[in-house]
Structure formats: C-alpha cells, structure tokens
Amino acid sequence: MINKLLIANRGEIACRIIKSCRELGIGSVAVYSDADADARHVAMADEAVRLGPAPVSESYLRTDAILDAAKLTGADAVHPGYGFLSENPEFVEAVEAAGLIFVGPSASAIRAMGLKDQAKTLMEEAGVPVVPGYHGAEQDPEFLAQKAAEIGYPVLIKARAGGGGKGMRLVEAPGDFADALVSAAREGKASFGDPHCLIEKYIQSPRHIEVQVFGDAHGNVVHLFERDCSLQRRHQKVIEEAPAPGMTDELRAAMGAAAVAAAKAVDYASAGTVEFIVDGAAFPDPKAFWFMEMNTRLQVEHPVTEAVTGLDLVALQLSVAGGEPLPFTQDEVTVRGHAFEARLYAEDPANAFLPATGQLNRLWFGADARIDTGVGEGDVITQHYDPMIAKVITHGEDRATALRLLARALEDTKVAGVQTNRDFLIRLARDEDFQAGDVDTGLIARKGAELVADLPATTLDWAAAALCVLRVPAGLGLVGLANFRHFGAARQIVRFEEAQVTVETLGGQVRLETPDGELNVSAVDWVGDALSFIVDDRRVRFHVLADEQSVSVERQGSTRGFALLQSGSNADAGSGDVVLAPLTGRVVSVMAKAGDVVAKGDALLVLEAMKMEHRLVAPRDGTIAEVNTGEGEQVDQGAALVKLAEVEP
Ligand code: ADP
Ligand code: ADP
Ligand code: MG
C-alpha cells in the first residue's frame, strides 16, 4: 500500500502522476531544481522539496537528494516518470535499499532490457522475433562491415545504449559504413557513455508499432493493445495513435503474444512497452514484425492507450507496485474508438526544428481535448530541459473523428512568446496520406518542406495584421478613428519590415491596400484576442497577438508573423489627419501647438517608449487643429495625440 508518493521528475509527467495521486487520495511530493521553483508540478503537489541547481546532474539525476527528500517528507514510494532515472537499475536498487517502493519494474528487468544487444539476444531465446542483424560482442570495424554486407544494405547502426533516436545511423551503401560506425559509436559514447554498436537490417517503409504491456508481482502479464508511432522526425515520435490503422485481429494477437512473452522473459511487473518494427510493404502480414527494444517505464504516449481502454495506467502502476494483482484478465480489456496524441514542442520547424526558449506570454488550450502539460501562461521554457509544452490528446468513435478532433484541438491551442511546432502538427493532422492511414516512419521526411514551409501571407493576413497594429488598448482603435469622420477619411500606414499596409476608414468601412491587393472590410470586431471583420458578406475570424516588435495573425490553423518596422518608423506612419501614439510611452517634448502651420515631415512631438525616443512627425502639410497631450504625460498606444485641421475638398 502506498500512502505518499514522491515523483522524481518534472514537467507534464510529474503533473500527470500527481493527478492520479489526487484521485486516489495518495499524498504527493514534488522535487524541483532552482529553475523549477515556481513550476506547475511544484504547485500541484502536496509538498515539494528542492534538489539543487538547474542542471539535471545537480538536481533531477541526484539519487542522494531524491532519497533525502523522500525521507524528509515520509514518502513511502518513488515514481520516476520517464527519462531521467526511470531506466536506471542502480536508482531502483538505491530506492529499495532505502526501504521505499519503486513504482516500476525490477532492477533486473531494467538491466536485462537496458542494452539493445543483450535484450535482442534474450528475446531470441524467448522466441520473440528480432530484427535480423548482428548484436554480438565483436566490435572490430572490419568485422562489423562484413556483417553489414551479409545482412544486406541498407543497414542501421545503433548504439546499444542509445535512446530517444540518438546513436543511430542509416547506411545505404558499403562505402559509407566505416564513417557511420565511427559517428554512431562516438554519439553512443558521448550521450550514453557506451560506444558499443549493433547492426540491423533496415526495414523498408517501416512502421513503428509498439505494444503496451502490464505485469504484476503475481506473475500475471497482459497487453493493452498497440500504438502506432510511425509519424516520426529523425526517429523521434511526433504523433501517436491507438489502435494502429489497418490492424487486423490476427496481427494484433501475434504482436500481443510476442510482447507478453518478452515481458514474461524478464518477470516484468509494472507498465512497459515492447517496440516492434513492422514491414509496411508486407503489412498486415502476421509474420512481418520484429522486436526492436523494450522501454521499461511509462511511455510518453501512454495517454492514447488510456483513451481507448478507459484505464488509468498510473493508478494501475501504483496499485501493482503496492502488491495488488492486476484487476482484470486479458479477455476483460477492450479497445473503444480511436485516439491520437500530438507532442507540442517549443521549437522552430522553419529553422531545422531547433529547440526554442522563452516566456509563454500566451498559452491557451481548447476545452475538447485532454491536455497533459507542465506549464501555464507566463512560465518560461528554458534550455535546461526537454522543450515539450504539452501533449494534446483526442478520442473519437473512429479514426477519422479522432483525427479531426486532433486538428481542431491544435487549432484551439494558442501559444505566444515561444516558437512552436503547432502549425506543423496541424498540417500533419490534415495530411491526406496520414488521414488515409497510409503511415510509415519516412512520411514526415518525404513531405519535407510541404509541412514546414512558410505560406505566403494573403490579403486577409495583411489586413488582420494591420488592424491588429491599429488596435488601441484604450478602446479607440478603428472605431475611435471612425468617430473622427468630420476630419474626413482617416488614412494610416502600418509599416512592416517586408511591406506596408495603408488603412483608410470611412464610416464603418475600412479600405486596406496590402502588398497582396486591395480589400474592403466592415464591421471590425474584437473579443479579447479574437479579431473578426466582414469581407464580401462573409465574417472572417482571426486570432491575433502583438507585441512591440511583431504581430502574429492566425486563422484556420495557420499562423503568420509580421515584424514591425522598428525605430519609431510607425510613429510617422499617419498620412491622414491624426497622429497616433505608436507605442505606449511618455511624451518627452511637444513642439506643435494648435494653429501652427506645418509641412509634411515636421517634428510634432517626441515620445519615449521601449527605452527609445520616437519622433512623431506631421503626416502631411496642414494646420494643427488640436494637441491632446503635454510634456511628461503618459500615453497609451494608439492615443490620438495631434489632429490636423480638415482640408476642404
Ligand atoms: P518515448 O518517447 O517512446 O517514450 P523515447 O525513447 O523517445 O521514448 O524517450 C522518452 C523520454 O526519455 C524522452 O524525454 C527522452 O529524451 C528520454 N530518454 C530516452 N532514453 C534516454 C536515455 N538513455 N537517457 C536519457 N534520456 C532518455
Ligand atoms: P530508441 O532507443 O532511440 O528509441 P529504437 O531502436 O527504438 O531506438 O529505434 C527508434 C526508431 O528508429 C524506430 O521507432 C524506427 O522508426 C527506427 N528504426 C529502428 N530500427 C529500425 C530498423 N531496423 N529498420 C527501420 N527503422 C528502424
Ligand atoms: Mg525506441
């Protein structure tokens, strides 16, 4: 029986585990690094203990500090989550030596599956089909090259200690083998402290299909069906689903039986995943699947299994770790409907998917999906940890419904302040081949640019961006401008780095000249960050966000960013009758007064904003009608500071 659980992890998985603790009435203890002192998992847990500075080697990987925290709080069990110490047998032994329950498999099961070569040997003995290849001890490069030739190209070199897609090299031709081996071994050594490699036949048009298994301390092992994780980028999962598209009863039974045999071979007790590679060309041939590795922990994508089985895998882990037998038999679990999970990352798809960092100025999710996240609005994505922002999980009666729901849930997801892969995920969710269930691990690479290329901004995008810039927090904005009708049509120019947009308002009509053409809109309306207007009797909606440097406009799942021309250039943007404050700031000097005759370009006043002085100039020749501000005054962005007298037609 577990009364109080320490969660030796952070982020979404720590929050996910704490949630189950709450539902079970089990106490929760969070641990944190200095970078996470205000993190969501710390706030969610009943208690929290500091481990040390931000680097993982000084915090989340410190067995001693974690055990001290357990002792300090009287926790009786430790859940490792995934990553970090979750597959470290020495950690399991240290936890158990301290008299605590480790929520996961035994140290020996982890050890047996820890190195891919040993695991494959063990699986062969257990009668589980393994990927053809060489996984012996000999590491001589010439010997391995010889083995590769026997296996037949293309081959995959894998660092036996590798994980998360690291330490793998695809080799297409014998001439490339030697270099690839050196670099795989180097990466294995650098990332996992082990240069030892194995060689595998590279399966063509492969599908990654894995089976969730569950064992208890009484020798029962069941499988909880499969997940298809074929949508990968550089061997890392992007979107996962359950069940696998096109799965047959026959193949499922064969894979399920192999997975259970794999787990039984190591007396597995807890949640685990047996990963198979499936020959896409032969699918669903019940013989065309081979064991790749077993992940001896809760998997990132476990929620899709939860969605289709209705089970809480963390609750089940806790119950099994407490010594309870599995509460059901194989025949009693069924699959209902279909589920997807997409991993929302702070990264820049247009820039080789480089991890992104920054503050989440906006973070908002729709109401119709399961969202597993460890961050909230205002939190910072740092370079210290995995840049995953959230997992978006949907469940529907059938695959098409669940996938539509996924695209919709991603559209409903609003993030600002940090680059994300959201739009990439949406394009993927709408991809025809993916929708048809025609998946293999090469799909993303094949589509390449199609999924990441910036689409050109449309007239509507330009219009929305300009209207967003002209929006005034104080409630003036276009509506306000329209009230200045007695001055004639207000004409303003919004200058972006790429091009400018001219905005003319007359009554309720707005005429925009964009680089992409002209547009007439009416009935501009704002609700929070939502902007809508009518074009040709159709109301179009955008979600827009602006800061001092840029505007981002988003519609139907596509986001476009526009950089504002800097250094006060928008300050002299008005070419109409009103000079607006381009930014919120302080008026430092006023040169203009009512009645002055000015020429276009004459300085009217100086505004200090964003630590810079912005000179506001006359938009045209004319006479000053009103000056609505004075030196030292604070003004809001968009405030009408100076008005020119109307020019008689
Ligand atoms: P999955 O995504 O299927 O759960 P991965 O192999 O991608 O499995 O790993 C999940 C998490 O564990 C990721 O955060 C990854 O970075 C981390 N991880 C996997 N293997 C290792 C390892 N050997 N050392 C450190 N972290 C790892
Ligand atoms: P990791 O520990 O990094 O997760 P895996 O052995 O699970 O390493 O492989 C990761 C991914 O690489 C798989 O999901 C699959 O896409 C691809 N892969 C692995 N082995 C093969 C193979 N023999 N043929 C084709 N693709 C493979
Ligand atoms: Mg794997």
Side-chain angles (χ1 to χ4, degrees):
M1 255 272 287
I2 296 170
N3 289 305
K4 195 190 263 194
L5 179 73
L6 181 141
I7 300 100
N9 213 301
R10 64 178 302 283
E12 67 89 15
I13 194 62
C15 296
R16 157 74 190 88
I17 295 164
I18 296 167
K19 187 167 162 283
S20 284
C21 286
R22 284 188 176 173
E23 286 167 10
L24 296 165
I26 292 174
S28 54
V29 180
V31 290
Y32 63 92
S33 72
D34 291 339
D36 280 339
D38 299 318
R40 172 181 274 228
H41 74 282
V42 173
M44 270 181 78
D46 297 334
E47 295 169 74
V49 182
R50 175 183 179 270
L51 294 176
V56 293
S57 58
E58 296 171 57
S59 51
Y60 296 106
L61 292 181
R62 275 188 57 198
T63 302
D64 60 333
I66 290 165
L67 294 181
D68 285 349
K71 192 181 266 178
L72 183 74
T73 53
D76 45 25
V78 176
H79 195 306
Y82 56 74
F84 295 140
L85 295 165
S86 62
E87 292 176 280
N88 183 324
E90 286 86 45
F91 179 66
V92 180
E93 282 160 355
V95 168
E96 287 171 354
L100 305 170
I101 296 173
F102 178 77
V103 182
S106 65
S108 69
I110 295 177
R111 217 167 252 132
M113 291 294 186
L115 296 174
K116 292 183 204 288
D117 54 353
Q118 288 173 19
K120 285 182 72 177
T121 304
L122 188 68
M123 289 302 106
E124 271 176 337
E125 286 162 15
V128 176
V130 303
V131 188
Y134 176 75
H135 45 266
E138 182 64 62
Q139 290 293 294
D140 174 58
E142 284 189 10
F143 173 85
L144 291 178
Q146 174 59 32
K147 283 290 164 197
E150 285 168 23
I151 294 160
Y153 283 88
V155 299
L156 203 56
I157 305 175
K158 289 187 185 176
R160 67 170 175 186
K166 273 204 178 142
M168 290 198 337
R169 295 291 180 278
L170 171 61
V171 191
E172 312 258 11
D176 302 329
F177 185 84
D179 286 351
L181 179 64
V182 168
S183 86
R186 194 191 309 120
E187 194 165 300
K189 177 88 178 105
S191 302
F192 311 99
D194 185 350
H196 202 110
C197 290
L198 58 135
I199 317 293
E200 269 181 13
K201 170 103 197 131
Y202 184 76
I203 305 299
Q204 302 283 356
S205 56
R207 283 177 66 172
H208 172 121
I209 301 181
E210 58 187 32
V211 178
Q212 175 72 53
V213 292
F214 228 106
D216 64 22
H218 308 275
N220 304 305
V221 180
V222 298
H223 72 80
L224 301 177
F225 312 100
E226 79 283 357
R227 294 183 287 256
D228 193 311
C229 311
S230 298
L231 285 203
Q232 303 186 347
R233 207 186 64 78
R234 294 171 163 268
H235 307 301
Q236 291 186 35
K237 299 161 187 170
V238 176
I239 295 182
E240 303 98 343
E241 61 180 304
M247 180 55 84
T248 59
D249 289 344
E250 198 185 355
L251 179 58
R252 175 178 287 159
M255 293 184 77
V260 168
K264 283 195 166 157
V266 294
D267 293 325
Y268 201 85
S270 191
T273 296
V274 183
E275 295 189 333
F276 296 101
I277 194 91
V278 173
D279 182 347
F283 185 88
D285 176 349
K287 288 200 164 50
F289 70 90
W290 300 272
F291 172 90
M292 278 194 299
E293 63 165 346
M294 180 168 187
N295 292 326
T296 51
R297 55 174 159 84
L298 190 66
Q299 198 99 336
V300 175
E301 59 273 21
H302 75 277
V304 291
T305 298
E306 295 187 322
V308 296
T309 59
L311 297 167
D312 176 335
L313 296 195
V314 172
L316 215 48
Q317 279 188 304
L318 294 172
S319 149
V320 163
E324 298 295 323
L326 280 172
F328 48 74
T329 61
Q330 187 68 64
D331 298 342
E332 290 166 347
V333 273
T334 50
V335 171
R336 195 184 69 77
H338 205 101
F340 284 92
E341 172 186 281
R343 301 185 187 196
L344 181 70
Y345 271 97
E347 63 185 14
D348 187 357
N351 193 4
F353 289 85
L354 277 181
T357 55
Q359 185 170 31
L360 296 160
N361 299 328
R362 243 313 172 275
L363 181 62
W364 205 80
F365 299 104
D368 304 321
R370 168 174 167 183
I371 305 294
D372 280 17
T373 183
V375 288
E377 202 164 274
D379 284 350
V380 176
I381 303 289
T382 71
Q383 75 285 3
H384 297 296
Y385 313 112
D386 187 272
M388 188 160 74
I389 297 171
K391 304 188 303 205
V392 177
I393 303 123
T394 57
H395 182 220
E397 280 307 311
D398 51 47
R399 186 172 187 271
T401 308
L403 189 50
R404 272 200 310 272
L405 289 170
L406 181 72
R408 178 59 65 96
L410 289 163
E411 275 181 36
D412 288 346
T413 300
K414 314 290 180 196
V415 191
V418 181
Q419 285 279 357
T420 75
N421 64 345
R422 190 201 78 135
D423 288 16
F424 165 73
L425 293 172
I426 293 172
R427 281 193 221 176
L428 208 47
R430 290 181 181 154
D431 179 82
E432 278 178 15
D433 292 336
F434 183 35
Q435 286 181 344
D438 208 354
V439 294
D440 69 80
T441 62
L443 184 139
I444 291 178
R446 266 198 312 278
K447 307 260 164 172
E450 203 183 305
L451 295 169
V452 295
D454 278 336
L455 299 177
T458 63
T459 323
L460 286 178
D461 296 327
W462 283 109
L467 293 174
C468 181
V469 173
L470 295 181
R471 185 190 192 186
V472 181
L476 272 166
L478 279 171
V479 183
L481 282 177
N483 292 339
F484 297 138
R485 225 173 323 163
H486 55 286
F487 289 108
R491 194 177 137 81
Q492 286 173 282
I493 297 176
V494 180
R495 295 203 170 113
F496 297 103
E497 261 173 22
E498 250 178 274
Q500 63 182 39
V501 177
T502 308
V503 185
E504 250 179 296
T505 55
L506 191 60
Q509 297 294 320
V510 184
R511 205 176 73 85
L512 299 116
E513 276 168 42
T514 82
D516 194 48
E518 265 183 37
L519 192 70
N520 288 296
V521 313
S522 62
V524 177
D525 187 40
W526 287 92
V527 180
D529 297 329
L531 162 68
S532 73
F533 46 80
I534 292 179
V535 180
D536 293 338
D537 297 332
R538 192 162 61 105
R539 186 165 279 283
V540 291
R541 285 171 222 282
F542 278 88
H543 191 266
V544 299
L545 287 166
D547 58 27
E548 288 76 10
Q549 283 97 42
S550 64
V551 181
S552 96
V553 309
E554 185 251 301
R555 178 167 170 263
Q556 295 176 342
S558 291
T559 311
R560 289 196 185 75
F562 298 84
L564 288 167
L565 203 57
Q566 289 300 303
S567 76
S569 44
N570 269 300
D572 46 37
S575 61
D577 300 302
V578 190
V579 176
L580 304 177
L583 297 163
T584 297
R586 196 173 61 91
V587 176
V588 289
S589 62
V590 180
M591 288 79 97
K593 60 179 190 301
D596 283 357
V597 175
V598 293
K600 181 176 176 177
D602 283 357
L604 303 180
L605 51 83
V606 178
L607 181 73
E608 189 191 82
M610 299 298 296
K611 301 192 183 80
M612 278 196 337
E613 292 203 341
H614 303 268
R615 230 163 49 96
L616 307 199
V617 302
R620 59 167 167 82
D621 297 350
T623 307
I624 307 282
E626 277 176 40
V627 176
N628 299 323
T629 187
E631 282 182 12
E633 252 181 54
Q634 194 70 29
V635 295
D636 285 333
Q637 181 187 27
L641 303 178
V642 177
K643 289 175 192 167
L644 295 183
E646 190 181 357
V647 185
E648 292 305 323

